[in-house]
Amino acid sequence: MKRLYIVVEGQTEEEFVKSILAPHLLEQGIFCVTPVAIHRGRGARGGMVSYEPLKGDILRLLRDGDAPIVSTLIDFFRCPDTPGKEVWNKASNHQQEVELREQEIGRDIGGRHFIPYIQLHEFEALLFSSDVGFKKELSPKEAGKLSKIVEDYPNPEEINSSPEGAPSKRILAVVSYYDKVFHGNLIAGAIGIKVILERCPRFRAWVERLVSACSSE
């Protein structure tokens, strides 16, 4: 069984991997899952402001020990330019662009132990997998407004990524005090990983790929 590193965008994703994703992967027999926040130099961690710090972390981790599996968990929303812009810039929709970006990042990094993943459209999309988390952590009025969005999108990953329509912006429009690090994982934890996997097909396919890669010789 291989070790798994997941390079993440920030503290929210780091905690999500530790507290929600890793326990699920443990049930699949993956015992060593380590999230790594992007290092941007001079002690700064988290936030993808450019591609090069992400690439540096990926390459460093791929060289660490006995051929670990390395993946990523970064947002598509406001994602900076990544390799192969001449390819993904011609995409006809957001999902195709994400797939092409992943393909080109994989081509740039190289190696069968690297699995690029970009969350469509951002981490908060996962929070719309169910209204259970909103109802548990927010007021009835706030939860009611966000429940309507859950009903409108059978696939939360299809929630629009326009500046005003991104999942996080929709939450902030209702919950002005929303804090991604604090509230994000409370809501995700209340929903549970199984529901998130059921409702988010791209996310599910990524997790299944991680399990397959870590289980193979």
Side-chain angles (χ1 to χ4, degrees), residues 103-119:
Q103 171 187 299
E104 294 303 311
I105 291 173
R107 193 190 312 277
D108 183 58
I109 298 295
R112 61 189 180 87
H113 291 122
F114 174 56
I115 301 173
Y117 178 71
I118 300 173
Q119 179 60 48

Side-chain angles (χ1 to χ4, degrees), residues 139-209:
S139 72
K141 182 178 180 181
E142 293 164 340
K145 292 180 178 179
L146 294 173
S147 293
K148 179 64 168 59
I149 301 174
V150 174
E151 294 172 4
D152 289 343
Y153 287 91
N155 178 358
E157 294 175 313
E158 293 179 349
I159 294 177
N160 198 325
S161 69
S162 65
E164 67 280 354
S168 60
K169 298 301 183 183
R170 292 178 185 237
I171 295 175
L172 282 167
V174 175
V175 188
S176 61
Y177 58 89
Y178 171 72
D179 180 273
K180 179 174 182 176
V181 176
F182 178 73
H183 295 102
N185 282 291
L186 288 176
I187 295 170
I191 296 170
I193 188 66
K194 288 182 171 56
V195 172
I196 293 174
L197 290 169
E198 288 171 3
R199 293 291 305 280
C200 301
R202 287 198 84 255
F203 179 80
R204 180 176 66 247
W206 171 59
V207 172
E208 290 173 350
R209 190 177 175 193

Side-chain angles (χ1 to χ4, degrees), residues 25-72:
L25 293 175
L26 180 61
E27 293 178 359
Q28 315 304 312
I30 303 173
F31 300 99
C32 188
V33 180
T34 305
V36 178
I38 298 171
H39 290 74
R40 295 187 282 111
R42 296 183 180 180
R45 296 172 65 250
M48 187 177 172
V49 296
S50 66
Y51 173 67
E52 289 306 315
L54 174 68
K55 179 178 180 178
D57 283 337
I58 293 167
L59 293 175
R60 174 176 58 83
L61 294 169
L62 285 169
R63 294 192 296 266
D64 183 23
D66 300 323
I69 300 297
V70 178
S71 191
T72 59

